[in-house]
Amino acid sequence: MEGAVSLKSETASSVASTNRTRRLVLLMLGLVSMFNYIDRTVLSILQEPIKRELKLSDTQLGLLTGLAFALFYATLSLPIARLADRLNRRNIVSASLAVWSGMTALSGLATGFATLVAFRVGVALGEAGSVPASHSIIADYYPPDKRVTALGLWGLALPAGIMLGYASGGWIAATLGWRAAFAVIGGAGLLLAPVVMLLVREPVRGAFSTHQHVAEPISLGTALATLWKLRTYRYMLAGTTLHAFAQYAMMSWTAPFYMRVHHMPLSEVAAWLALMNGIGGGAGIYLGGWLSDTVARTSPSGRVWVSAVAMFLMVPAALVQFLVPSLGVSLGFGFLSSMLMFFYYGPIVGVPQSLVAPHMRALTSAVTLLVFNLFGLGLGPAVTGIISDRLAAGYGMHDTSLRYALAAVLIFSLVGALSILRASWFYRFDMREA
């Protein structure tokens, strides 16, 4: 009897310790992800002072915030994810954080477009290794019934990072200049890297899988063919990628939009966008995940189509935000559009992780990042900048060209919503197969 009690006590203690470890790991990976988005966002809020000092065009700014970053970030995420499916993922996350933080700090030394591109490429090289490895670690720390919730909590780093990127970047730039903003934010990330090495433990790969063969290696071609056969994943990826085209355009150009069209100072824009994207985006991620899981109890495909409904609603809200002359109304609808814009985040992370085997999770995230970022992040800001330059040069819209450029790219979210609706038709079948 005493042995049974002792065993029960040890088991409870072990579970509690495991839960504490899980929470610590989730917190640390969330902090890493938060710095990922801080370092991306800071360039967006600093665009206007950088443009003035370095004499850049909107097209060049669009390339900096989009294609120059996304081209390397997306393509390198795939080979690094292959390493993450084989090597120590904790080490990959920590090294990635150190590289991108160092490159962010060096961005303050830029003397022109070419040097700033070089430093942004360095940031992309670092950030390419973080997300797939983090997804894979979390999936091995949390069982399937808690995994989507854990990934949703981890996903809150996105709005938190955006909020801190806008707020800290804007405040430091207004006080000390844009170069100091890069140095301070990059330096903070460098300090976090060794802490990750100390506090995060590498989990057993496939810890919650009931199949022993999952650790066997799989060729890249076989893995990609497996993903292509998953019609839910295929159409979800297409839809969220199209939506990302508009999303990243909005995230990149909203700060210059308010500064040019509504003549807001940098410090005010930074504060408003921090609230808009931090609180609004965080609420969107949480509500998107919660509604998806809630609807899925009675309609399993709801875990997918809730994102499509949110995209359909976002487009008119964003049109009001960019086209209405009233600043107050624009900011109010901007909060709403930011919230709806992030509804898709939980499903696009959680659904694919449930459809594939453990030895494909990092690769699946990398493929998602590759397509999502190459088209969405790579082209969205750049195309919007080109449209803005053309409207300014051809039609004299020097201060208002961004208004119509941003309104034009929203069509991609509408098409993306249709693709996600299509994905929901196949969800039940693909889950049975999984």
Side-chain angles (χ1 to χ4, degrees), residues 281-293:
I285 289 177
Y286 173 78
L287 290 174
W290 178 77
L291 281 174
S292 296
D293 284 339

Side-chain angles (χ1 to χ4, degrees), residues 117-134:
V117 165
F119 291 132
R120 293 306 291 175
V121 168
V123 173
L125 294 177
E127 292 189 3
S130 172
V131 175
S134 294

Side-chain angles (χ1 to χ4, degrees), residues 393-418:
Y395 299 93
M397 301 178 182
H398 297 290
D399 292 329
T400 60
S401 58
L402 269 178
R403 163 174 278 162
Y404 301 104
L406 285 165
V409 299
L410 291 172
I411 186 65
F412 287 89
S413 284
L414 287 177
V415 180
L418 293 172

Side-chain angles (χ1 to χ4, degrees), residues 42-362:
V42 67
L43 179 58
S44 297
I45 195 64
L46 300 178
Q47 283 186 92
E48 289 300 286
I50 290 174
K51 178 179 181 177
R52 287 193 298 268
E53 182 174 334
L54 302 185
K55 298 178 174 58
L56 304 181
S57 66
D58 281 354
T59 299
Q60 288 176 312
L61 288 174
L63 290 172
L64 278 171
T65 56
L67 191 59
F69 177 90
L71 185 63
F72 291 89
Y73 175 74
T75 54
L76 286 172
S77 64
L78 193 59
I80 297 177
R82 294 289 284 171
L83 292 177
D85 279 331
R86 291 169 169 79
L87 305 179
N88 188 295
R89 293 160 288 181
R90 184 272 313 274
N91 294 346
I92 291 175
V93 171
S94 182
S96 297
L97 172 61
V99 170
W100 90 61
S101 296
M103 290 296 108
T104 297
L106 290 173
S107 298
L109 302 177
T111 57
F113 177 69
T115 53
L116 197 51
V117 165
F119 291 132
R120 293 306 291 175
V121 168
V123 173
L125 294 177
E127 292 189 3
S130 172
V131 175
S134 294
H135 286 175
S136 182
I137 290 174
I138 293 170
D140 281 333
Y141 264 107
Y142 285 86
D145 61 324
K146 297 181 179 179
R147 190 172 294 151
V148 173
T149 300
L151 286 168
L153 290 172
W154 175 85
L156 292 176
L158 190 158
I162 293 173
M163 179 172 67
L164 289 174
Y166 279 129
S168 61
W171 181 81
I172 297 171
T175 306
L176 302 174
W178 64 269
R179 296 180 184 277
F182 280 125
V184 171
I185 292 172
L190 283 171
L191 294 176
L192 179 62
V195 179
V196 173
M197 289 289 292
L198 289 173
L199 297 182
V200 176
R201 291 188 297 176
E202 176 75 0
V204 176
R205 201 179 299 273
F208 295 99
S209 175
T210 58
H211 302 287
Q212 296 301 315
H213 70 274
V214 297
E216 296 176 2
I218 183 173
S219 70
L220 178 60
T222 301
L224 294 177
T226 300
L227 288 177
W228 179 255
K229 291 177 182 177
L230 295 172
R231 290 173 292 181
T232 302
Y233 176 73
R234 201 163 71 211
Y235 283 103
M236 279 189 76
L237 180 59
T240 51
T241 299
L242 288 165
H243 174 64
F245 188 100
Q247 174 193 348
Y248 281 116
M250 293 168 65
M251 292 172 62
S252 176
W253 287 108
T254 299
F257 163 78
Y258 280 114
M259 295 176 72
R260 296 182 197 178
V261 176
H262 293 285
H263 309 292
M264 294 178 68
L266 176 61
S267 57
E268 288 186 19
V269 172
W272 276 106
L273 293 187
L275 293 173
M276 187 183 297
N277 290 279
I279 297 177
I285 289 177
Y286 173 78
L287 290 174
W290 178 77
L291 281 174
S292 296
D293 284 339
T294 301
V295 173
R297 292 170 190 164
T298 54
S299 173
S301 61
R303 184 166 278 117
V304 179
W305 60 251
V306 163
S307 300
V309 174
M311 290 177 193
F312 280 126
L313 295 174
M314 186 211 77
V315 172
L319 284 173
V320 174
Q321 176 188 2
F322 296 124
L323 299 180
V324 72
S326 168
L327 174 60
V329 174
S330 175
L331 291 171
F333 275 87
F335 186 94
L336 178 60
S337 66
S338 293
M339 181 179 68
L340 294 169
M341 182 169 64
F342 286 105
F343 263 56
Y344 76 93
Y345 192 85
I348 191 58
V349 174
V351 170
Q353 292 289 310
S354 298
L355 291 175
V356 301
H359 64 301
M360 281 184 57
R361 285 175 183 152

